[in-house]
Amino acid sequence: MMWKTILLQYCFFLVTCLLTVFEAVPIDIDKTKVKNTEPVESTKIEPPDTGLYYDEYLKQVIDVLETDQHFREKLQKADIEEIKSGRLSKELDLVSHHVRTKLDELKRQEVSRLRMLIKAKLDSLQDVGIDHQALLKQFDHLNHMNPDKFESTDLDMLIKAATSDLEHYDKTRHEEFKKYEMLKEHERREYLKTLSEEKRKEEESKFEEMKKKHENHPKVNHPGSKDQLKEVWEETDGLDPNDFDPKTFFKLHDVNSDGFLDEQELEALFTKELEKVYDPKNEEDDMIEMEEERLRMREHVMNEIDVNKDRLVTLEEFLKATEKKEFLEPDSWETLDQQQFFTEEELKEYENHISLQEDELKKKAVELQKQKEELQRQHDQLQAQKLEYHQVVQQMEQKKLQQGIPPSGPAGELKFQPPVQYNREEIEKEPELDKLHRFHARFLSPEEPAREVRLHP
């Protein structure tokens, strides 16, 4: 899966994750009619990856704040604007000492992690222009001027950074998907250029055939419409479509029972619709396109239902949406195969951009090849010098041997042969002077200066 699901509860989720617990409306459900009668566990559900580079730090801060009862109570009473404006951050001064100590530790770890990342970035860009401002921007989610203490400023910066990043996250995903589609078409056309006329026609025919096969799918219900929800009610929940009740439906699909339908819970409602269009077993069905389709469905429903734009659907918002004309008589839903993602002009511009990138890569490749050849030349030169040095040393050693000079080691030290073993009878027969000379040769150290030896009668 190319795309990861973004944060499920926007600003509330950013700071609270699952801290905001409201009493759900009591609804009587006939559990005998529901396929899955297993109760939903009340344990905390692991939040999904936000896609932010400081995702782990964000989750850890949320987990620690969750343990403070005072902050938890203030949060339950706070509204969206109070959280986004930073007023809630000032409540950090009233949390327990244990919580503050843990937050200090988390901040030190995060600063250390970012410093390591920046150092690695700098090391990799030694020969390239370094954008220091871009590197420092990695600290936008905390106050790096005080790396040891987690203050209210840090919480405020964390909330605002995450809010801003997530507001642009969907847009960024759409842009990346558009690039993906253009690259796919670019590669297809480039491949066709390598084929003969006959093969090219075959490939074009195959492409059109797969395209038609993909478009030939059952009707896709409008996301969030009564028809779409009733289909989930019947096929997923195993209930009688004639007994469809919005309150009961909301209760069934509020998986974590927090009183909201978050983005993940909404996206789960579209699985049946997506399965009508996409099958991972089919060559013509692109799973990346399926995730883009899921994202667009979720965005559409949020725009229709989420009145206060907090990216959470309350029971009240859900019930009001079921009273609208669009819920009962929706327009037809256009799937991705019915839409054009880019124009020919945009494709050409993108191809020009790719061409420029390829040229830059080629230049870098040529430069790297030159550097490699220069390094190889220097290496060969050093090897030749080393060989020449060894030859000179060997020649000098040979001359010393010819002159009767003992050979020397690499540092100029003398290399002595092991002492010669002599027969006792032969030594006794030799003149006394020869014995004495041999004694000196064998036992005097190399450092000891030669002494004149005189024999007295």
Side-chain angles (χ1 to χ4, degrees), residues 217-388:
H217 53 72
K219 175 191 173 184
V220 176
N221 291 315
H222 198 89
S225 67
K226 185 175 182 180
D227 291 339
Q228 191 258 311
L229 298 184
K230 282 183 68 175
E231 190 171 291
V232 175
W233 172 275
E234 180 180 7
E235 298 187 14
T236 302
D237 302 330
L239 299 173
D240 189 336
N242 296 321
D243 296 333
F244 177 77
D245 178 67
K247 286 186 179 180
T248 305
F249 184 91
F250 185 95
K251 177 67 175 179
L252 283 173
H253 294 278
D254 178 16
V255 180
N256 56 8
S257 301
D258 64 352
F260 300 98
L261 290 183
D262 56 45
E263 294 178 345
Q264 188 181 44
E265 290 165 340
L266 278 177
E267 288 185 359
L269 301 179
F270 312 137
T271 301
K272 288 292 181 183
E273 301 304 315
L274 294 170
E275 288 176 350
K276 297 176 182 178
V277 186
Y278 301 94
D279 186 343
K281 298 178 182 179
N282 295 337
E283 183 183 0
E284 67 274 8
D285 296 339
D286 190 332
M287 294 301 103
I288 293 178
E289 292 181 357
M290 182 186 76
E291 291 308 309
E292 175 70 8
E293 191 87 70
R294 189 193 302 273
L295 171 60
R296 290 174 182 244
M297 287 180 172
R298 187 256 294 162
E299 285 181 329
H300 171 76
V301 173
M302 276 294 186
N303 289 333
E304 292 290 321
I305 301 178
D306 184 20
V307 178
N308 62 358
K309 305 304 177 185
D310 63 353
R311 300 177 83 143
L312 295 168
V313 176
T314 64
L315 177 62
E316 182 181 2
E317 289 174 329
F318 184 77
L319 294 179
K320 283 185 178 180
T322 60
E323 298 172 358
K324 294 180 180 179
K325 179 182 178 182
E326 292 81 0
F327 178 75
L328 301 173
E329 302 175 5
D331 297 329
S332 60
W333 175 255
E334 287 189 357
T335 54
L336 292 179
D337 51 53
Q338 298 173 291
Q339 301 177 38
Q340 181 68 36
F341 305 116
F342 52 85
T343 63
E344 281 297 320
E345 289 74 17
E346 288 176 322
L347 179 59
K348 288 180 180 179
E349 183 180 350
Y350 181 69
E351 288 178 330
N352 290 335
H353 177 67
I354 291 177
S355 179
L356 290 174
Q357 287 184 325
E358 289 176 348
D359 291 341
E360 285 296 320
L361 289 174
K362 288 178 182 178
K363 289 179 182 178
K364 289 181 179 180
V366 170
E367 185 63 29
L368 288 173
Q369 182 62 31
K370 289 180 179 178
Q371 293 178 9
K372 179 181 177 182
E373 291 173 356
E374 176 61 20
L375 289 174
Q376 185 63 45
R377 186 190 66 77
Q378 294 177 6
H379 173 75
D380 295 342
Q381 187 177 9
L382 289 173
Q383 287 295 106
Q385 292 175 353
K386 182 178 178 182
L387 179 61
E388 184 179 355

Side-chain angles (χ1 to χ4, degrees), residues 10-214:
Y10 194 50
C11 296
F12 273 116
F13 185 77
L14 294 176
V15 191
T16 71
C17 199
L18 296 174
L19 301 180
T20 52
V21 180
F22 297 94
E23 289 296 326
V25 178
I27 302 172
D28 293 329
I29 304 174
D30 186 355
K31 296 294 184 180
T32 61
K33 296 183 179 181
V34 183
K35 289 181 179 179
N36 183 10
T37 58
E38 293 295 327
V40 177
E41 295 184 3
S42 59
T43 56
K44 184 177 178 179
I45 296 176
E46 183 66 22
D49 190 347
T50 64
L52 304 175
Y53 66 88
Y54 48 91
D55 172 76
E56 188 63 27
Y57 174 66
L58 174 64
K59 291 177 182 177
Q60 289 174 341
V61 170
I62 291 171
D63 289 340
V64 173
L65 288 172
E66 182 183 12
T67 63
D68 188 86
Q69 184 64 28
H70 170 78
F71 194 88
R72 187 189 192 95
E73 291 174 357
K74 286 289 183 181
L75 185 60
Q76 290 177 352
K77 298 175 182 178
D79 57 24
I80 295 297
E81 289 305 317
E82 188 175 0
I83 294 174
K84 292 174 67 176
S85 66
R87 294 197 298 272
L88 184 68
S89 302
K90 300 189 182 305
E91 296 296 330
L92 186 69
D93 296 332
L94 302 177
V95 301
S96 66
H97 175 72
H98 171 73
V99 171
R100 292 298 295 266
T101 302
K102 185 61 179 175
L103 291 173
D104 291 344
E105 181 184 350
L106 290 176
K107 182 178 178 180
R108 286 192 293 270
Q109 292 175 356
E110 178 69 358
V111 171
S112 177
R113 181 185 74 87
L114 289 173
R115 282 175 175 168
M116 290 178 63
L117 288 175
I118 289 180
K119 184 180 183 302
K121 188 77 171 179
L122 291 173
D123 291 343
S124 66
L125 298 176
Q126 287 181 351
D127 300 326
V128 187
I130 299 173
D131 187 350
H132 292 277
Q133 291 300 322
L135 293 177
L136 288 175
K137 192 179 185 301
Q138 295 183 79
F139 287 109
D140 274 0
H141 63 290
L142 50 75
N143 178 19
H144 61 282
M145 301 302 293
N146 182 6
D148 298 319
K149 293 291 183 181
F150 189 98
E151 302 170 322
S152 58
T153 305
D154 291 289
L155 182 57
D156 187 35
M157 291 177 70
L158 183 60
I159 294 172
K160 289 181 177 179
T163 301
S164 175
D165 291 341
L166 288 171
E167 283 177 345
H168 297 91
Y169 194 65
D170 284 352
K171 181 180 178 182
T172 302
R173 288 176 64 185
H174 289 313
E175 290 174 352
E176 290 299 321
F177 175 75
K178 182 177 180 179
K179 290 179 182 178
Y180 167 77
E181 288 293 323
M182 288 192 291
L183 178 61
K184 190 165 69 170
E185 178 62 16
H186 167 70
E187 291 178 342
R188 188 185 75 84
R189 294 185 183 186
E190 289 298 308
Y191 172 67
L192 291 176
K193 292 178 182 178
T194 65
L195 304 178
S196 63
E197 185 68 24
E198 182 179 355
K199 287 288 185 181
R200 190 180 302 117
K201 289 181 179 179
E202 290 179 6
E203 283 296 323
E204 288 284 13
S205 177
K206 180 182 177 182
F207 175 76
E208 291 298 326
E209 181 181 346
M210 290 177 63
K211 187 177 178 181
K212 290 179 181 179
K213 185 178 178 182
H214 172 70

